[in-house]
Amino acid sequence: MTTNERPTAVVVMGVAGSGKTVIGEGLAERLGLPLLEGDAFHPEANVRKMSSGHPLDDDDRWPWLDAIGTAIGEIPGGVIVACSALKRAYRERLIAAARRPILFLFLDGDRATLAGRIGARKDHFMPPGLLDSQLATLEPPGPDEDFVRIDIGPTVPEVVDAALDALAGASGLAIPDPGS
């Protein structure tokens, strides 16, 4: 893969509580790139459904994924996106709608850590009871997908640093030296 083919669109993916937004914000700030928050693309019907404790199905997700993918494709250059992208089909849908390569930054952690984080959140529409459905839906990226895996166990600054290190080798983004 040549440098020009390396993706400059990065989707920070994972189940609820993995830190997609906070890690995405950290990456966007450090890289000076825009951040698209996938939750902002949910139609009100999706938010109501999840708020009432019901998981989304694929029919709920397709228009949402298409909207996010289209937005990715409309941003020239680098972009960071926070989006669960739980299934391979969802990741493929994002790439198709974006019409550009995407690198998936998979935030991975154990159930106890995820549940603790979800339980500590305030004013979020995703109730803790939906974690198990998200874990059941999750299809971790496979070896033929363009992704890097990051463990969410360390502190947020440490996860952001690890993500930047991983992106330096896997993406076409200009990664600043942390000492500069």
Side-chain angles (χ1 to χ4, degrees):
M1 181 182 299
T2 67
T3 303
N4 291 340
E5 294 173 323
R6 293 170 61 190
T8 57
V10 176
V11 171
V12 182
M13 64 161 288
V15 300
S18 62
K20 296 178 294 291
T21 299
V22 70
I23 300 305
E25 289 170 345
L27 291 172
E29 180 180 324
R30 295 270 297 271
L31 295 171
L33 296 175
L35 172 70
L36 298 178
E37 170 51 66
D39 286 346
F41 290 82
H42 276 299
E44 186 59 34
N46 283 8
V47 174
R48 279 194 311 270
K49 188 172 184 178
M50 289 183 285
S51 295
S52 68
H54 299 285
L56 299 179
D57 59 30
D58 287 350
D59 289 335
D60 299 319
R61 287 188 178 102
W62 299 134
W64 172 67
L65 292 164
D66 290 342
I68 295 169
T70 298
I72 293 169
E74 292 173 348
I75 296 176
V79 61
I80 306 296
V81 183
C83 174
S84 55
L86 297 177
K87 289 184 180 180
R88 174 188 287 263
Y90 303 164
R91 296 186 290 274
E92 291 171 349
R93 187 84 173 222
L94 286 168
I95 293 166
R99 297 177 182 237
R100 67 188 277 196
I102 295 174
L103 176 69
F104 293 91
L105 183 70
F106 174 38
L107 300 179
D108 195 16
D110 62 68
R111 188 191 183 292
T113 299
L114 296 163
R117 289 179 176 187
I118 292 171
R121 292 196 298 201
K122 306 287 185 243
D123 301 323
H124 195 277
F125 60 80
M126 178 68 81
L130 290 184
L131 176 59
D132 288 331
S133 73
Q134 289 229 321
L135 289 169
T137 300
L138 177 64
E139 296 172 2
D144 60 331
E145 292 183 80
D146 203 357
F147 83 100
V148 292
R149 181 196 166 278
I150 302 292
D151 177 23
I152 64 165
T155 66
V156 168
E158 291 170 327
V159 172
V160 170
D161 286 343
L164 287 168
D165 288 346
L167 292 176
S171 76
L173 295 172
I175 309 297
D177 182 336
S180 60

